[in-house]
Amino acid sequence: MSAAIFRNRSGRLRPHRRGVEAKPRFAFVVTVLFFILLYLPIGMVVLFSFNSQKSLTVFKHFSTRWYSAFFHDHVLLSSLGMSLKISLVAMIGSVALGVALALGLVRARGRLGSYSALIMLVPLITPEIVTGVASLMLYKGLNITLSTGTVMISEITFSISYVTVILRSRVAALNPEVEEAAMDLGATRWQALRLVTLPALLPAILASAVLIFALVFDDFVLAYFTTGVDPQPLAVRIYSAIRFGVEPTINAVGTLMLAGSITLIAAALSIPRLFGRSGGLDLLSGD
């Protein structure tokens, strides 16, 4: 092993192994392999969505015929409309309840608030398939027919924790004296909440709303266990279709869903900058 001589803080000469200063080539190779394994299948889906032929292994010419086929497929379009409807309702419901829960958890005093915060985190660490099976058993036990409404309720329940995690630290960062000052000037508690607290939380609320819309739109597991017969959400419809073979139209649908998700996530990260926050939003901490 080659070595070099350098001086420490006390001025003494000490040998130093060059390997410590060498670039971490192994880590670089592992990182490159990781990204290849992660994004190569996605890249193949995008590539073959523009294939002029039906083949899923040989790319012949660039074409948008499969995108045209998707926009003329009424079954897939109805599933797309259903996914957009479920995502919109789940976004509005989970954000409204998540804001109220975040305010309650931060303002609650004593052990009740701490225990509630821990319970709120359970859905985040629970496997989604467990949540899906539990929701299915609940609806069957209550003799509730699976439909679009059951999907919406399940998605709202599952998404509230994400909204609360994002907003809770933002609520904690607010100075409660500002709200108290508004009430000292004559505002009611509701007016102080509407005119002072909610505008301060608006960037985080909008960012969490966009994030929830993207998560629900792509969600398959929960929708699969709680959806009715027809029309099914787009993710479930795609799964049903590929059981009989992968059609190039599915590649086009997957590419459009990928582009939409990336756009929404970028919007969620950029919204705080529009309100003058230079650092953007940390989706894990809400800061």
Side-chain angles (χ1 to χ4, degrees):
M1 178 67 67
S2 60
I5 304 298
F6 78 105
R7 293 182 182 275
N8 58 16
R9 294 182 177 178
S10 61
R12 296 180 178 178
L13 296 176
R14 295 183 58 184
H16 179 69
R17 297 169 60 184
R18 293 184 185 276
V20 176
E21 296 181 347
K23 294 182 179 179
R25 296 179 179 177
F26 177 76
F28 177 76
V29 172
V30 171
T31 302
V32 171
L33 289 176
F34 167 76
F35 282 112
I36 290 176
L37 292 175
L38 183 63
Y39 290 108
L40 182 60
I42 299 176
M44 295 300 292
V45 169
V46 175
L47 176 64
F48 281 94
S49 69
F50 293 102
N51 193 4
S52 60
Q53 303 299 318
K54 194 175 181 179
S55 174
L56 298 174
T57 56
V58 178
F59 188 87
K60 197 164 186 178
H61 298 294
F62 178 85
S63 174
T64 58
R65 60 176 292 194
W66 304 116
Y67 291 90
S68 177
F70 166 66
F71 288 112
H72 288 84
D73 191 324
H74 298 291
V75 176
L76 288 177
L77 288 179
S78 64
S79 295
L80 174 62
M82 181 57 61
S83 290
L84 293 174
K85 182 180 178 181
I86 292 172
S87 302
L88 184 62
V89 173
M91 178 188 71
I92 296 173
S94 61
V95 168
L97 295 175
V99 171
L101 184 58
L103 290 171
L105 290 175
V106 173
R107 304 292 170 81
R109 306 294 183 185
R111 295 182 178 179
L112 180 61
S114 302
Y115 291 148
S116 300
L118 291 176
I119 295 174
M120 182 272 301
L121 294 175
V122 171
L124 297 180
I125 60 176
T126 303
E128 193 174 357
I129 191 171
V130 175
T131 305
V133 173
S135 300
L136 176 62
M137 293 176 63
L138 176 64
Y139 294 137
K140 292 295 183 183
L142 297 176
N143 291 324
I144 298 176
T145 304
L146 297 180
S147 62
T148 305
T150 56
V151 183
M152 291 176 178
I153 294 173
S154 301
E155 295 288 0
I156 290 174
T157 305
F158 183 71
S159 303
I160 288 175
S161 297
Y162 289 93
V163 178
T164 307
V165 167
I166 293 174
L167 288 174
R168 195 177 62 172
S169 60
R170 293 293 304 153
V171 175
L174 294 179
N175 189 351
E177 294 180 354
V178 177
E179 191 173 324
E180 294 172 0
M183 289 188 288
D184 289 340
L185 294 174
T188 62
R189 182 171 294 278
W190 167 248
Q191 288 174 329
L193 175 66
R194 181 169 58 88
L195 300 176
V196 176
T197 305
L198 291 182
L201 296 176
L202 188 58
I205 292 174
L206 292 178
S208 60
V210 175
L211 178 64
I212 294 302
F213 187 92
L215 290 176
V216 174
F217 185 82
D218 287 344
D219 182 65
F220 164 73
V221 177
L222 203 55
Y224 179 76
F225 282 100
T226 57
T227 189
V229 178
D230 217 21
Q232 296 175 320
L234 187 58
V236 179
R237 176 68 65 187
I238 291 175
Y239 173 75
S240 302
I242 63 175
R243 287 188 300 176
F244 304 100
V246 179
E247 293 289 333
T249 308
I250 302 301
N251 290 336
V253 177
T255 303
L256 292 175
M257 291 177 65
L258 176 65
S261 298
I262 293 175
T263 302
L264 289 174
I265 296 298
L269 295 173
S270 302
I271 282 175
R273 297 178 185 274
L274 301 179
F275 288 84
R277 294 182 56 196
S278 58
L281 177 69
D282 187 337
L283 294 179
L284 294 179
S285 65
D287 292 331

